[in-house]
Each structure stands twice: as structure tokens, then as C-alpha cells.
């Protein structure tokens, strides 16, 4: 099964592990587009997404503008852009061994808003991972 690896701070790690948090969020940046999406069936590097969609630079990250996110959503509906087929997320907390980690099955991924109590700004759009629960 195809696995996505994500590092979390302790608060979100514990909430997902306990089943209290059922969605995880990632900003709609060129980096996450390259990790999560296929354009015309092909993997594309972050620079491709930056050159194809309007972006705003904040530090080292390039965020898609609101109009670019709408365009991206329409391309997903048409099938020109598709989500990569991840089935599992391995969540970890920290970098120094021993690193606690666990696996969760992914129901689906979409672009949408999130809940404030789960770490999202309700006025922004994110890549949203809908989680099934911890795997044994």
C-alpha cells in the first residue's frame, strides 16, 4: 500500500491517535501539490505548480492564490488533475529516536476548509485528509 509520511506536533499526534481528530490539514502550496497531485497523469515538481498556477510567496513557501485554488478544484472535477493514491498515513512525532509513530488509513483527500479546534483557520482552504482510524 502507498504510504504518506507526515510529522506532527504532540497535540495533533495525540488527538489523531486517540481518534478525537479525524482530519489532518496541509496548506495548498506548490510543495503539497507536488506530493499529493498528478497533473495529466504525471508527477510534477513544485516549480511546475508554481509556474502553472498563481502563487504568493511567504518565506520559502509558495501558496496558491484563492483564484488558483478554484481553478485547481475545477481541474480535479474534470479529471485533468487527480489525487495520488495514498492508502495510509504514517504519523510521527519528532525526529530524535525513538520516534513515536502510528499508521492511519485514509478515507479520502480533498481541498476544503477545516475546523479551528483541529488546527485550521476556517476561512482558508487546505488539503484535507479524512482519516479512518489507527491500523493495528
Amino acid at each position: 500500500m502507498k504510504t504518506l509520511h507526515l510529522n506532527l506536533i504532540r497535540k495533533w499526534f495525540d488527538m489523531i491517535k486517540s481518534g478525537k481528530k479525524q482530519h489532518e490539514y496541509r496548506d495548498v502550496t506548490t510543495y503539497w501539490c507536488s506530493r499529493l497531485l498528478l497533473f495529466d497523469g504525471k508527477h510534477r515538481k513544485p516549480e511546475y505548480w508554481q509556474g502553472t498556477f498563481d502563487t504568493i510567496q511567504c518565506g520559502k513557501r509558495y501558496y496558491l492564490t484563492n483564484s488558483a485554488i478554484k481553478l485547481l478544484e475545477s481541474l480535479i472535477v474534470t479529471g485533468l488533475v487527480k489525487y495520488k493514491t495514498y492508502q495510509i498515513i504514517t504519523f510521527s512525532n519528532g525526529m530524535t529516536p525513538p520516534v513515536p509513530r502510528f499508521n492511519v488509513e485514509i478515507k479520502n483527500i480533498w481541498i476544503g476548509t477545516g475546523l479551528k479546534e483541529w488546527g485550521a483557520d476556517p476561512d482558508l482552504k487546505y488539503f484535507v485528509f479524512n482519516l479512518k482510524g489507527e491500523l493495528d
Side-chain angles (χ1 to χ4, degrees), residues 95-110:
M95 303 295 263
T96 307
V99 177
R101 54 177 50 103
F102 64 94
N103 294 322
V104 173
E105 195 171 351
I106 302 172
K107 285 183 186 177
N108 54 7
I109 305 170
W110 72 89

Side-chain angles (χ1 to χ4, degrees), residues 79-128:
L80 183 61
V81 174
K82 295 182 180 181
Y83 290 98
K84 294 180 181 179
T85 55
Y86 290 106
Q87 291 95 14
I88 295 173
I89 297 178
T90 297
F91 288 111
S92 58
N93 174 247
M95 303 295 263
T96 307
V99 177
R101 54 177 50 103
F102 64 94
N103 294 322
V104 173
E105 195 171 351
I106 302 172
K107 285 183 186 177
N108 54 7
I109 305 170
W110 72 89
I111 295 174
T113 57
L115 299 173
K116 186 175 183 177
E117 59 268 25
W118 289 351
D121 178 337
D123 298 326
L124 299 178
K125 289 212 172 176
Y126 299 91
F127 285 110
V128 180

Side-chain angles (χ1 to χ4, degrees), residues 30 45-55 57 62 64:
T30 56
K45 293 184 178 184
E47 296 79 18
Y48 175 85
W49 297 96
Q50 183 183 337
T52 305
F53 294 91
D54 291 334
T55 58
Q57 185 176 3
Y62 290 87
L64 271 63

Side-chain angles (χ1 to χ4, degrees), residues 6-72:
L6 299 178
N7 201 3
L8 298 174
I9 63 171
R10 176 60 70 178
K11 176 180 179 179
W12 307 128
F13 181 88
D14 290 342
M15 284 180 73
I16 290 172
K17 186 162 178 55
S18 71
K20 291 179 184 170
K21 183 178 182 209
Q22 298 158 2
H23 296 148
E24 176 55 7
Y25 310 109
R26 289 295 183 262
D27 292 330
V28 183
T29 63
T30 56
Y31 172 78
W32 285 108
C33 287
S34 73
R35 296 264 325 257
L36 301 174
L37 302 173
L38 299 170
F39 193 100
D40 199 20
K42 297 180 182 123
H43 169 79
R44 307 292 182 156
K45 293 184 178 184
E47 296 79 18
Y48 175 85
W49 297 96
Q50 183 183 337
T52 305
F53 294 91
D54 291 334
T55 58
I56 299 169
Q57 185 176 3
C58 184
K60 293 182 180 180
R61 295 184 181 159
Y62 290 87
Y63 293 83
L64 271 63
T65 63
N66 289 335
S67 60
I69 292 171
K70 286 180 185 178
L71 174 59
L72 181 60

